Amino acid sequence: MNIPKEVQKILHTLEAAGFEGFVVGGCVRDMLRGVAPKDWDITTSATPTQVKALFPRTFDTGIQHGTITVLQGGKPFEVTTYRIDGTYTDARRPDSVTFTAQIEEDLSRRDFTINAIAYNPTHGFADPFNGRADITRQTIRCVGNPTHRFTEDALRMLRAVRFAGTLGFVIDPAAINAITALRENLTRISAERIREELTRLLCGTLPGALSLLESTGLLPYVLRGTPYPAPLAQTVQYLESAPTDETLRLSLFFTPFQQNGSAPTVEKIMRDLRYDNKTIHAAALFARLLPHPIPAERYAIKKILQQLPQDLVKDSFEKLLALQQITGVSDTAHNELLRQLADDVLSKNEPYLLKHLAINGDDLHATGFPRGKEMGAALAGLLDAILREPAANEKQILLNRLHGGEK
Ligand code: ATP
Ligand code: MG
């Protein structure tokens, strides 16, 4: 077990003060799978007050749930007191949490056996639910009775599918049956928590797990009451051939909402799921551009470049090409042509935005042109001509064109 030295130091400090400390959850699961953990969570018998007294630099991140962030070697680590979740009345959040001195009690509140293993270099493993065996069997199994556990917190149903997709594990049949029976409870879960798990599922290595959302009937509840507007198998096939980039995966998943008139728009469904504006704009733009093949000529390419976020124009164009290739709108050879043309347009600084024009509204106004809608249309007209004729982007030429209509 390769535990970073900062984490070992935290465990040691807790033990030297007479408490227990274990790494727990995703990091133990990932170590056992031979995958480098992305973060290290620590669980301890010390109360939050005791944790704060032991470490010089801490933050009260989630103190009401027992979590203190400890800064060790300049890095943050979450240290959470062993706790038992109180009763659940809303299928969402425990009504209360109680701290306990027994690690087994803390492990028993966790969702799946593979996530309920703790490890400490002096004690070895605490694994009361045989999570290690389930990692070997590549099985997602609930800690305890699936019906009870999914009734307590309905998000766990979606988490089961998310872990199936990110780990490539299978879900135990008893859990699948419970999900199918209890799927409607997902309506009680906040859009934010659903979005978080959906995004992780879409960005996982095995997006094929999406089909479990369909077979269990969870999918319309994930989508806040809306049926998915296309055959899911097609989307799965696209996702499987896409890199794990979040914008690409979200665009592929949400594009069918753009193409089906009766379904909500991409913007609407993503807003309902509380995606942030930047993410929504990117996915909606790609969804809109995706179905239309781009001719291999400079004018058409500039019309596309105009619509992309300018701080990431090359990267966004590249993503659009990738999406078109995945969905069969374009192919490698055509994309290579488009890429060369776009590179050439950009490296030669050919004008394609209003702000690239050699004149602006003030220049027009100075020649007596009234401000307003008409001026906007006049500038847009000039720009459109300049897209085909970049050499004519000179102030005098443009003014002549405008006033005389001649060249
Ligand atoms: P990842 O590596 O993808 O983050 P993770 O296992 O760390 O996976 P988190 O969502 O970060 O997943 O949760 C951390 C741990 O907290 C889990 O391993 C699990 O033990 C516990 N946990 C998280 N959410 C729930 C839940 N809804 N119900 C019960 N236990 C949960
Ligand atoms: Mg985690």
Side-chain angles (χ1 to χ4, degrees):
M1 288 282 154
N2 244 337
I3 301 178
K5 60 179 189 315
E6 295 87 356
V7 175
Q8 293 194 33
K9 177 81 172 67
I10 294 173
L11 297 179
H12 185 79
T13 305
L14 289 166
E15 289 197 321
F19 302 110
E20 293 174 8
F22 287 82
V23 288
V24 71
C27 62
V28 179
R29 177 198 69 220
D30 288 344
M31 274 195 299
L32 289 166
R33 293 164 59 228
V35 171
K38 42 177 182 14
D39 45 31
W40 294 84
D41 291 328
I42 295 152
T43 184
T44 180
S45 58
T47 64
T49 316
Q50 290 166 333
V51 172
K52 285 168 72 167
L54 278 176
F55 298 94
R57 302 188 60 199
T58 63
F59 298 103
D60 294 0
T61 12
I63 195 157
Q64 68 284 16
H65 297 110
T67 302
I68 298 291
T69 296
V70 171
L71 272 188
Q72 184 73 46
K75 296 177 196 152
F77 297 95
E78 290 196 346
V79 179
T80 304
T81 305
Y82 297 164
R83 61 174 223 229
I84 314 168
D85 292 343
T87 49
Y88 285 70
T89 48
D90 67 352
R92 267 211 305 248
R93 286 275 145 89
D95 302 335
S96 61
V97 304
T98 321
F99 299 137
T100 165
Q102 306 301 319
I103 185 153
E104 288 77 14
E105 290 191 307
D106 180 89
L107 295 174
S108 71
R109 73 167 168 93
R110 295 175 183 270
D111 47 9
F112 306 112
T113 61
I114 58 170
N115 290 343
I117 313 169
Y119 176 81
N120 161 310
T122 43
H123 292 82
F125 287 98
D127 182 15
F129 306 104
N130 297 316
R132 281 173 295 174
D134 281 334
I135 290 178
T136 308
R137 283 193 285 258
Q138 307 203 314
T139 298
I140 296 158
R141 188 188 318 279
C142 288
V143 169
N145 178 303
T147 302
H148 294 169
R149 303 312 309 283
F150 293 145
T151 304
E152 277 174 0
D153 178 1
L155 187 73
R156 291 174 187 153
M157 300 189 284
L158 182 53
R159 284 175 60 84
V161 177
R162 189 262 279 190
F163 284 116
T166 51
L167 308 176
F169 285 16
V170 298
I171 304 177
D172 169 59
I176 289 283
N177 291 337
I179 293 172
T180 309
L182 297 169
R183 59 196 174 198
E184 223 185 305
N185 285 3
L186 201 66
T187 51
R188 301 198 222 166
I189 300 297
S190 75
E192 288 82 357
R193 294 179 81 204
I194 292 178
R195 176 203 62 217
E196 203 55 38
E197 297 297 336
L198 174 65
T199 304
R200 293 170 90 164
L201 170 59
L202 292 174
C203 295
T205 41
L206 289 161
L210 260 186
S211 57
L212 287 169
L213 291 183
E214 190 163 64
S215 58
T216 56
L218 265 182
L219 190 55
Y221 299 100
V222 170
L223 297 172
R224 316 303 281 163
T226 313
Y228 193 67
L232 192 70
Q234 174 71 273
T235 298
V236 166
Q237 193 203 317
Y238 292 159
L239 290 168
E240 281 174 338
S241 51
T244 54
D245 178 87
E246 188 176 309
T247 313
L248 293 186
R249 293 288 183 93
L250 290 176
S251 302
L252 289 169
F253 181 75
F254 287 110
T255 290
F257 288 90
Q258 195 70 29
Q259 293 163 335
N260 185 323
S262 60
T265 61
V266 175
E267 284 92 343
K268 168 86 169 68
I269 188 79
M270 291 184 80
R271 242 186 290 119
D272 286 351
L273 283 165
R274 303 284 186 274
Y275 279 97
D276 62 273
N277 284 335
K278 205 171 164 220
T279 306
I280 295 175
H281 288 147
L285 175 66
F286 284 134
R288 192 161 50 73
L289 297 177
L290 180 53
H292 311 291
I294 310 170
E297 36 128 317
R298 304 174 94 81
Y299 176 81
I301 288 171
K302 290 174 195 175
K303 291 298 259 188
I304 299 287
L305 294 179
Q306 287 179 335
Q307 302 177 64
L308 302 177
Q310 295 303 307
D311 51 335
L312 297 166
V313 71
K314 254 187 127 148
D315 181 61
S316 301
F317 190 71
E318 208 39 69
K319 282 184 179 165
L320 177 59
L321 299 192
L323 288 169
Q324 293 199 322
Q325 185 163 340
I326 289 162
T327 53
V329 174
S330 185
D331 59 27
T332 323
H334 188 69
N335 276 354
E336 189 47 39
L337 269 179
L338 295 175
R339 192 175 289 121
Q340 279 171 15
L341 283 167
D343 279 350
D344 202 48
V345 165
L346 292 170
S347 67
K348 289 186 174 143
N349 287 317
E350 287 185 20
Y352 63 89
L353 295 177
L354 277 177
K355 69 169 189 196
H356 298 156
L357 268 188
I359 56 171
N360 60 25
D362 293 339
D363 299 321
L364 287 196
H365 193 61
T367 66
F369 207 102
R371 292 195 190 275
K373 251 194 175 150
E374 257 179 75
M375 180 183 278
L379 287 167
L382 288 175
L383 176 61
D384 204 64
I386 287 304
L387 294 183
R388 299 191 196 274
E389 223 184 328
N393 190 24
E394 282 180 30
K395 193 167 177 172
Q396 204 48 55
I397 302 180
L398 296 176
L399 287 176
N400 288 347
R401 280 188 183 185
L402 202 65
H403 287 291
E406 84 282 15
K407 302 239 159 178

